[in-house]
Each structure stands twice: as structure tokens, then as C-alpha cells.
Amino acid sequence: MKEKSAFITIIGRPNVGKSSLMNRIIAQKVAIVSDKPQTTRTKICGIYTKGADQLVFIDTPGFHKPRNELDKNMNKAVGDGMADVDAALLVVEAAPKFGLENGLPPAERELISELRRRKLKAVLAINKIDMLERKEELLSLIALYSREFDFETVVPVSAKTGDGVEELLKELDKFAVESPALFPEGVTTDQPEKQVCAELIREKLLLNLEREVPHGTAVEITRFSERDDGIIDLEATIYCEKASHKGIIIGKHGAMLKKIGEDARKDIEEFMGTKVFLQTWVKVKEKWRDSNSLLRNFGYTDT
């Protein structure tokens, strides 16, 4: 059987479930998820291998109006993710939180315009069908998006339940061309282990903290070492922008920081497949989201 492969970029507005869908496809958490916008900050590669076929997914940040250098780099990552790929997967919501009476939101219009400009083939995935009260609403959504772009196909899915994912994979597999496998079997992401661990800690910040606090945080792994028995010693520094935020992250008698660390350690152990000892610290770095050197240090930009 001849090997085939394809690069598929996943694009969409913030919070439509792009990362959740990729994790469902890969059957492992390689991208963090939360119900807060801008959870994904950079391109993340997820690798799906079945038999002789390999699909390499590039999960991108949600496209949005930039307010700082971090936001600009996130939007740049969307454009970068659309370069040199075989097709795009545009993910939208089955039950959007806004009305579609006036057509598509600006961010989706811009993404579709970019698909057209790059002459990219695209599949439309209508996610979160498990939240639809009336399935017939799908028909009007399909008609609306089909008027805007000539999608190769439209597949309703639920990243939460897995409904429609097998059908989606069959459609995406049509873009695979004869090519040697790009990654060894069993590899699910090209991200360095340190980066995945840092992101898993940041996910717990997003899940446990409210308002603007988690959006102003970044995580740096300052120690990553393996003992002879396979146990991983991990030290991480959580950066925030304000001294008041530092107090919130630590919590009363350190309770919040302890919970974040415990929650993160469980996911890191599952990802690494071994026991992990995790220590965390919190430091203040004002306006780090506008510092290109710090953004580079945190892995959010290459320049």
C-alpha cells in the first residue's frame, strides 16, 4: 500500500472549537482548550496516522482584532498556517452566540477572503451540533456559508461527542497525495515536550481564573530533567502583568497556585506517560504582551 499525506490548516474565529476538534481527531490532548477566547496563541501541529495515510493538522489561533503585539503575532500565525498546505478546514459554530441575520461576522468574512486569495481548497466543519435545539437550523447555516465560498464539502460535527468526525476524516483524506510519511508512527505533535507542558499549565490558569487575569499570563519551563527511573522534574515560572494578579494566582495561603499545579501535573503525567514532580513560581512582567523579546522567549513568535 502506497503512503499518502496531506497538510490541513484549521482556521476559524476564537472559541469555535478548533483545538477541541483537533484533539478529538488525534485522540490525545496536543492543544489546550478552554471556554475563553484566544486560548491558542500560536500554530500547533497535530499528526493523525491511520495505516499508510497521514494527515498533518495545523491548529491556528482564533482570528480577531489585535490589541497588542501578542495579538498581532497570533493573527500572523493564522496567515502562516495557511501557507504551503494542501487544504483548509474552516470551523464554525452550529449555534453561534450572535445572530446571522446580517450575514457572516467580519472575522469569518476575512478568513474566507484569504482562502479565495490563496486559491485554497477548503472543507467547512460546522461544530457543536450537540448544542443545536433544532437540527433543521443546519440547513440555513449550510446555505449561508455556501453562498460565501465554494467549499469542497460541508460536514456537521461535534468535537465533544465525536459525531461526524469519522466522516470528516474521510473527506479530508481525499486531499492526501502519494508521499512518504512525514512523521514516525506514534508521533502526535511536533511541539517540544517543554512547550506542551507550559501550555498545559497555562490551560489550568485559564480554567481556574476569571476576567482578564489569565489572558495576561505566560508560562516558561525553567527546568526539565529526567531521572534514571524515568520520573520528570519540572519547574515552571508563571508570568503575569500586575502585582495584584500575582496575588490572585497564588491565592489565599497559596491555595490557587497549588490547585493549578495539581491539575496541570495530572495532564502532564498523562502526556509524558510517567510520574512528574512539578514546582511553580509566579513573577510580574509588566506589558510582556507588547515585548517581542519576551514573546519570542515564550515561543509566541519567531522574530
Side-chain angles (χ1 to χ4, degrees):
M1 188 180 293
K2 292 182 178 179
E3 295 179 327
K4 294 189 298 178
S5 64
F7 278 94
I8 311 289
T9 186
I10 306 175
I11 58 175
R13 291 183 301 104
N15 249 164
V16 293
K18 300 183 298 298
S19 298
S20 296
L21 182 56
M22 185 174 77
N23 289 340
R24 168 67 70 170
I25 290 169
I26 305 302
Q28 184 180 19
K29 182 182 283 189
V30 295
I32 66 170
V33 296
S34 82
D35 60 0
K36 295 180 174 67
Q38 303 176 33
T39 296
T40 302
R41 286 178 170 171
T42 188
K43 289 187 299 177
I44 295 172
C45 177
I47 300 136
Y48 171 81
T49 305
K50 186 174 183 179
D53 292 0
Q54 190 170 82
L55 299 178
V56 181
F57 291 94
I58 301 167
D59 184 24
T60 61
F63 195 78
H64 62 288
K65 185 176 180 180
R67 292 175 296 179
N68 49 51
E69 286 300 315
L70 174 61
D71 289 353
K72 290 176 185 176
N73 278 288
M74 287 165 64
N75 280 352
K76 180 178 180 295
V78 179
D80 291 347
M82 296 171 76
D84 301 320
V85 295
D86 297 292
L89 176 63
L90 176 63
V91 182
V92 302
E93 286 184 295
K97 301 175 183 66
F98 51 86
L100 291 173
E101 297 81 7
N102 299 317
L104 306 187
E108 284 179 0
R109 284 187 178 279
E110 197 163 339
L111 286 170
I112 287 174
S113 176
E114 192 64 14
L115 289 175
R116 200 175 287 115
R117 187 183 73 81
R118 292 173 183 264
K119 298 179 180 178
L120 262 180
K121 293 181 178 180
V123 168
L124 179 67
I126 302 180
N127 191 25
K128 305 184 184 181
I129 57 172
D130 51 291
M131 297 178 66
L132 272 181
E133 293 182 4
R134 296 183 298 114
K135 298 300 181 184
E136 54 267 27
E137 294 174 33
L138 275 173
L139 296 176
S140 58
L141 272 176
I142 292 170
L144 175 63
Y145 283 97
S146 297
R147 286 196 295 269
E148 297 292 334
F149 189 80
D150 185 19
F151 292 99
E152 298 296 305
T153 189
V154 180
V155 184
V157 299
S158 169
K160 183 177 181 180
T161 67
D163 285 355
V165 171
E166 280 300 318
E167 182 184 345
L168 177 62
L169 282 168
K170 288 177 185 175
E171 294 297 332
L172 295 175
D173 195 50
K174 293 176 182 178
F175 297 109
V177 295
E178 192 174 322
S179 162
L182 301 163
F183 295 90
E185 190 174 351
V187 173
T188 55
T189 183
D190 67 345
Q191 293 182 90
E193 291 174 337
K194 285 175 64 173
Q195 185 70 17
V196 175
C197 293
E199 285 292 276
L200 289 171
I201 295 169
R202 190 168 67 83
E203 179 187 60
K204 305 314 172 190
L205 291 164
L206 287 162
L207 295 174
N208 284 286
L209 301 172
E210 297 297 329
R211 298 179 183 174
E212 81 279 7
V213 177
H215 291 299
T217 60
V219 179
E220 181 183 18
I221 302 299
T222 52
R223 183 189 178 197
F224 186 104
S225 61
E226 186 175 353
R227 303 181 194 177
D228 292 339
D229 59 4
I231 293 173
I232 302 291
D233 287 303
L234 204 60
E235 295 181 5
T237 300
I238 298 167
Y239 292 95
C240 58
E241 292 183 311
K242 298 178 182 179
S244 59
H245 291 179
K246 179 178 179 179
I248 294 170
I249 294 167
I250 294 173
K252 190 173 182 180
H253 304 306
M256 179 56 74
L257 186 60
K258 182 180 179 182
K259 184 178 189 309
I260 289 166
E262 288 176 349
D263 290 351
R265 180 182 53 77
K266 292 173 185 175
D267 274 7
I268 293 171
E269 287 183 337
E270 184 175 344
F271 175 76
M272 297 298 299
T274 188
K275 190 172 180 60
V276 172
F277 283 99
L278 173 63
Q279 289 184 289
T280 54
W281 289 267
V282 185
K283 291 184 179 179
V284 178
K285 285 275 188 185
E286 293 183 1
K287 297 183 179 179
W288 67 261
R289 282 182 284 186
D290 280 314
S291 168
N292 279 316
S293 62
L294 287 174
L295 291 175
R296 185 168 57 251
N297 193 44
F298 298 144
Y300 295 144
T301 177
D302 297 325
T303 58

